[in-house]
Each structure stands twice: as structure tokens, then as C-alpha cells.
Amino acid sequence: CFECCIKCLGGVPYASLVATILCFSGVALFCGCGHVALAGTVAILEQHFSTNTSDHALLSEVIQLMQYVIYGIASFFFLYGIILLAEGFYTTSAVKELHGEFKTTACGRCISGMFVFLTYVLGVAWLGVFGFSAVPVFMFYNIWSTCEVIKSPQTNGTAGVEQICVDIRQYGIIPWNAFPGRMCGSALENLCNTSEFYMSYHLFIVACAGAGATVIALIHFLMILSSNWAYLKDASKMQAYQDLKAKEEQELQDIQSRSKEQLNSYT
């Protein structure tokens, strides 16, 4: 039983397992936190920066579309992570059982190469997602830092406080004719103290971290898949060599057996 357990544990692709867990965790953080943060952003815009619904109608549609895209991303990467983990089990078995009955096929090597290419494309795409997820973090950080300036004791008088403003229209997410479009002074400070702002800000940070973790997981998967593809290529060459060697040994045995039969017939 102990030897059987050791053999089973030796066939587990631990690198693929770690990459799968990291990928699932990153995608879950990005999708879950991003979905809630986008909903909080819409609520903040409607309540404080754009009271007219028509001014941010396009932004609301885009955010709703992004939320649906998040559902698709979560489903796709859940399936893709399981497939890559199964591919890791396949390649590990192919290498470890090279001298047994298990044989690598050209189809298996082609599938491994396809996963290398697809993971590379997804890694490049997630670099863009990671950069895009940093944009709302930058915007919320600017608002938060402005509120910290208002709270600082160096601010002189009420008139000076009211001159410190944040104009959300300059980021291009709402049009310039949106009303009021900006907040100043104590109203801005009250916004920073609301739960919607606090939660959305920190959820965007976690979503950005999740996107970064997913990028690291895809790079890890790319390294694993490239290594496994090289192992399968070497394994196929070794199999061809062993098949040729076995065929030559069989032919040699046939020649020896025919020579003995001829010698016995002569004697």
C-alpha cells in the first residue's frame, strides 16, 4: 500500500497543480471583486457626479457588458485550468511510463503544442487586462489622496477647503456636459467617508492583484507546457528508437533460429 501511494504521488504534476490553484485564485479575485466594484462605481457616479441618467447611459451599458464578460471569463478559465491540469497529468504519465505500455502519440504532442500557443496568447491578453484594471485604482487613489489633503491640518480655512475639487469628467468616463461632474471641499470629504467609495476602492485593488496573480499563473503554465512538450518530443524519439531496437533484435533472433534449423538439417 505504501509503495502504491508513493507511485501515485510520484505521478502528480505538482507544478501544474500549483499553477492551477494560483490561476483559479487570481481569476476568482478579479471576477468577484471586479463585478462588485463596477456596481459600486455606477452607484457613486449616479449619486454624486452625474444626476442626469442620459449623461452616463453609455457608461452604464459598458459596465453592464463588462460584468457579463466577467461571467464568461470566470467560466472559461475554470474549464481551461482543469484542462491544463489534466494535460499535466497526461504528460507526466507519458514520461514516467515511457518503458511501459503507455505510448505518446502525434495527436498528444500536437495538443500540447496548441496549449503552449493558446496559453501564450492568453498571457499577453491578461497583461492588457492587468494594465486596464490599474486604471480605476489610479482614479480612486487620486480622489482618496485629494480627500486626505482636505483632512490635513495645513488646509487654511473653509474657503481653501472648498477650492479643492475632483472633476471626474477629465477621465473621459462621463461627458463634459454632465452635471455636476465634480465635487469640492466638504462634499468630497463626505464622499470618501461613504461605504460605497471605501469598498469600491479596495475591491478594485484586490481585482488588480487578482489579475496580476493570473498573469503569473499563465506564465507558470507556459513554462510547464513548454517543458512538457519538450519531454513528449524526447519521449517520442525514445519510443521510435526502442521500437527499432526491438525490431532489429527480433530479426536477429529469427536469423539465428533459421541458422540453427539449417545446421540441424545438414547434420
Side-chain angles (χ1 to χ4, degrees), residues 1-101:
C1 182
F2 178 76
E3 292 178 355
C4 181
C5 291
I6 294 298
K7 184 177 180 181
C8 291
L9 291 176
V12 175
Y14 293 101
S16 297
L17 185 62
V18 171
T20 303
I21 295 174
L22 183 61
C23 182
F24 283 171
S25 302
V27 172
L29 289 176
F30 174 79
C31 294
C33 296
H35 185 276
V36 179
L38 288 173
T41 302
V42 173
I44 292 173
L45 287 174
E46 291 177 348
Q47 296 174 9
H48 302 283
F49 291 99
S50 180
T51 56
N52 190 0
T53 307
S54 61
D55 292 337
H56 59 269
L58 179 61
L59 178 63
S60 299
E61 293 178 0
V62 172
I63 290 179
Q64 186 177 10
L65 179 62
M66 292 174 62
Q67 290 176 333
Y68 285 121
V69 170
I70 284 175
Y71 297 146
I73 290 175
S75 303
F76 172 78
F77 271 91
F78 177 75
L79 179 62
Y80 190 68
I82 293 177
I83 291 175
L84 290 184
L85 182 60
E87 200 271 345
F89 275 101
Y90 164 75
T91 51
T92 302
S93 300
V95 174
K96 291 184 178 297
E97 300 295 333
L98 175 62
H99 301 286
E101 297 180 356

Side-chain angles (χ1 to χ4, degrees), residues 150 153-165 184-187 189:
I150 296 175
Q154 288 80 9
T155 305
N156 296 322
T158 307
V161 170
E162 295 301 327
Q163 292 177 358
I164 301 176
C165 302
C184 303
S186 58
E189 183 180 358

Side-chain angles (χ1 to χ4, degrees), residues 179-202:
F179 180 82
R182 68 173 187 169
M183 295 191 69
C184 303
S186 58
L188 180 61
E189 183 180 358
N190 293 332
L191 169 64
C192 293
N193 293 328
T194 59
S195 59
E196 291 86 1
F197 179 86
Y198 181 83
M199 287 296 297
S200 298
Y201 180 36
H202 289 82

Side-chain angles (χ1 to χ4, degrees), residues 166-248:
V166 169
D167 193 343
I168 204 69
R169 295 172 296 184
Q170 63 182 341
Y171 298 109
I173 59 177
I174 57 176
W176 280 104
N177 57 356
F179 180 82
R182 68 173 187 169
M183 295 191 69
C184 303
S186 58
L188 180 61
E189 183 180 358
N190 293 332
L191 169 64
C192 293
N193 293 328
T194 59
S195 59
E196 291 86 1
F197 179 86
Y198 181 83
M199 287 296 297
S200 298
Y201 180 36
H202 289 82
L203 287 175
F204 273 125
I205 294 176
V206 176
C208 184
T214 306
V215 171
I216 296 175
L218 290 175
I219 294 174
H220 195 176
F221 267 129
L222 185 61
M223 296 168 60
I224 295 168
L225 292 170
S226 300
S227 177
N228 289 342
W229 184 80
Y231 285 149
L232 287 179
K233 185 177 179 180
D234 293 339
S236 64
K237 292 181 180 180
M238 183 64 69
Q239 286 177 2
Y241 170 76
Q242 289 181 350
D243 293 340
L244 182 61
K245 183 178 179 181
K247 183 178 180 181
E248 291 178 351

